Amino acid sequence: MDAEKKNNDGVAADANGVGNITNNIGVSTVWYGYDCVFSNGEYLKKIQEGESNLEQNALPQPSTTAHHQASFRRSGSHRSLKDYGWLRKLDLRSDVPSIEEIRDWAFDTLQFEENVLVEVFISMLEYYDLLEEFNLDRETLRRYAFAVMHKHHKDCYYQRTDIEGEVSVIGTTVNASEGDSKLSDGGHHTLCEYHNWYHAVSCSQVCFLFLTLGGADQYLESKDIFCIIVGALIHDLDHPGTNNDFEVKRNTELAQKYHNDSVLERHSISEGLNLCTRNPELDWLKSFDNIEDRKYVENYITEAILATDPARHAGIVKEALEFAAEGPKAYNTAASISSSELVELKQFDRANLQHRIFIGRLFLHSADISNPLHSSFDVARDWAVRVTTEFSRQASKEKKLRLQVTSYMDGLDSEYNIAKVQIGFFSFMVQPLFDTMGKLFPKLSHLNDWGEANCDGYREVLAACENVRHEE
């Protein structure tokens, strides 16, 4: 997540943080610097009242060393307050899952050795017969996927002894050679617990579920489907574990190169496509030998990945609300459509390029923030600790560099604070987005139910923490 400092729609919020969006499609507010859009103003008020009550009832949390160390040790999958082992101890699978397992909401990329996930990527492409249709060489795609895997910073099993200190690496995933791990500015290995290969494949697989189980593939051409699956795989390529704002505040070379605009997303696009141009053995782009097809693929992937910049969140939700309200008339479909054809076309017109690109943008952004909706609370919680670990590390770096500290990344040193942030993130960003997704693709309408169930799990954590505090 990257904080956006202003509202994309130019909407001024009132004292309660609520403002009207043009044409009254929704209401907007700001959550920790993020522009958010809601279709239901009453729902927003209810959430804000709940957040206010939570703040009033919040109790200071003890920060004893014993509690702190237990919080972030990989020590089994338990929900008991006595064992804060939110990161699971997993025996990683080396078998290649079937396409039936991949096409299931319960699929968990974190259960597999990283090499296996290359085959998961290939399986998703083969499901749609894309290799045959575009004359794509399977080994070229496999080599490309392996190159993408190695270009991501490494995941690790880790144990933190100090939230402000160094990461103590217990072990990395299989086949992690010394050359695979990147070095940070300080000379230490950069380990990304969240923005890594597992997250990349997870996003690609969630997009695959949107397409297959969500029924969205009926609105897309084969090239679009290929671009969505590949684009999701490379959307965070070479991610440093810090956000765009961190790049901008430090005025890094990347920030200067991309003029402070979607810095890391543009870097990932460049790195992902350059793998093809720099190495013929990785060049799947050559299969699109028609210059128009090649430009189409490059443009579609670019647009889809740029949509993963959280600074574009409000704009994407607003566009989705427009589609939900207007259907194929959105983006001014050129063809004259009768009322009977509107029913048949539902929300999207497959013949409209802008509609198809929007689906790609919507899907990559949605998949990117979909972890809170996993059908298993243990999996959702695992991802939550991973991302907040990266947040805490960025806050620590900002303090050391005397930069303005990103507020939502600071103080994530207890289960209580992590649970609070996760509930807020779901309520303000994930839930409104997927509420609209469910309207556009009814077969996806159940996803927010899992998000609500996971928030109930976090509320249990809050209640348990408060009970412990009262007992002390």
Side-chain angles (χ1 to χ4, degrees), residues 123-305:
S123 295
M124 292 187 292
L125 297 177
E126 290 183 329
Y127 176 84
Y128 283 105
D129 296 322
L130 297 176
L131 277 66
E132 181 178 352
E133 180 171 352
F134 298 120
N135 196 28
L136 292 158
D137 180 67
R138 193 177 195 279
E139 288 306 308
T140 299
L141 282 170
R142 288 185 78 253
R143 287 192 295 268
Y144 179 83
F146 271 108
V148 170
M149 179 183 76
H150 288 298
K151 203 163 184 61
H152 277 91
H153 294 296
K154 302 301 293 185
D155 178 33
C156 63
Y157 290 175
Y158 65 97
Q159 175 177 322
R160 293 193 299 174
T161 57
D162 182 354
I163 194 72
E164 299 290 346
E166 297 296 334
V167 177
S168 175
V169 180
I170 295 176
T172 58
T173 46
V174 294
N175 295 333
S177 66
E178 185 174 328
D180 291 336
S181 296
K182 307 290 183 67
L183 293 179
S184 67
D185 293 340
H188 301 292
H189 288 294
T190 300
L191 299 165
C192 291
E193 292 82 6
Y194 185 86
H195 290 99
N196 53 42
W197 170 242
Y198 285 95
H199 171 63
V201 179
S202 175
C203 287
S204 191
Q205 185 263 343
V206 170
C207 284
F208 180 68
L209 297 180
F210 292 162
L211 294 166
T212 55
L213 302 185
D217 49 8
Q218 65 182 303
Y219 302 117
L220 299 169
E221 295 182 355
S222 296
K223 286 196 298 286
D224 308 326
I225 293 171
F226 176 82
C227 291
I228 288 172
I229 295 173
V230 173
L233 193 77
I234 66 173
H235 81 280
D236 274 334
L237 192 58
D238 200 34
H239 196 289
T242 50
N243 68 3
N244 284 333
D245 190 47
F246 189 70
E247 296 290 324
V248 172
K249 285 189 289 193
R250 295 173 62 212
N251 193 30
T252 62
E253 290 185 10
L254 284 181
Q256 295 177 42
K257 179 178 180 179
Y258 296 115
H259 307 288
N260 298 339
D261 178 37
S262 300
V263 176
L264 296 177
E265 291 76 19
R266 294 185 186 280
H267 176 62
S268 294
I269 294 165
S270 175
E271 291 294 303
L273 295 178
N274 282 343
L275 284 175
C276 292
T277 58
R278 292 172 180 170
N279 189 339
E281 294 188 348
L282 310 179
D283 187 12
W284 53 261
L285 268 173
K286 63 186 177 185
S287 296
F288 300 93
D289 49 5
N290 182 299
I291 187 64
E292 291 184 2
D293 287 342
R294 184 182 180 110
K295 286 183 177 179
Y296 183 100
V297 168
E298 292 177 336
N299 179 68
Y300 197 110
I301 289 175
T302 296
E303 291 297 318
I305 293 178

Side-chain angles (χ1 to χ4, degrees), residues 327-348:
K329 292 184 292 183
Y331 285 123
N332 299 317
T333 301
S336 175
I337 302 175
S338 67
S339 58
S340 61
E341 289 174 321
L342 279 173
V343 174
E344 181 181 355
L345 287 171
K346 298 181 181 179
Q347 304 300 338
F348 298 100

Side-chain angles (χ1 to χ4, degrees), residues 1 67 89 152 158 230 240 248 288 293 355 362 371 410 445:
M1 297 190 300
H67 281 191
K89 183 178 181 180
H152 277 91
Y158 65 97
V230 173
V248 172
F288 300 93
D293 287 342
H355 286 203
L362 176 66
N371 297 139
D410 196 20
S445 60

Side-chain angles (χ1 to χ4, degrees), residues 33 54 61 66 150 273 341 347 365 374 379-380 393 399 421 463-464:
L54 184 60
Q61 295 304 299
H150 288 298
L273 295 178
E341 289 174 321
Q347 304 300 338
H365 176 56
H374 200 279
V379 177
R393 188 178 298 118
K399 291 174 184 178
V421 166

Side-chain angles (χ1 to χ4, degrees), residues 440-452:
L440 295 174
F441 306 99
K443 293 180 180 179
L444 302 178
S445 60
H446 66 287
L447 296 178
N448 267 333
D449 294 338
W450 288 331
E452 289 285 0

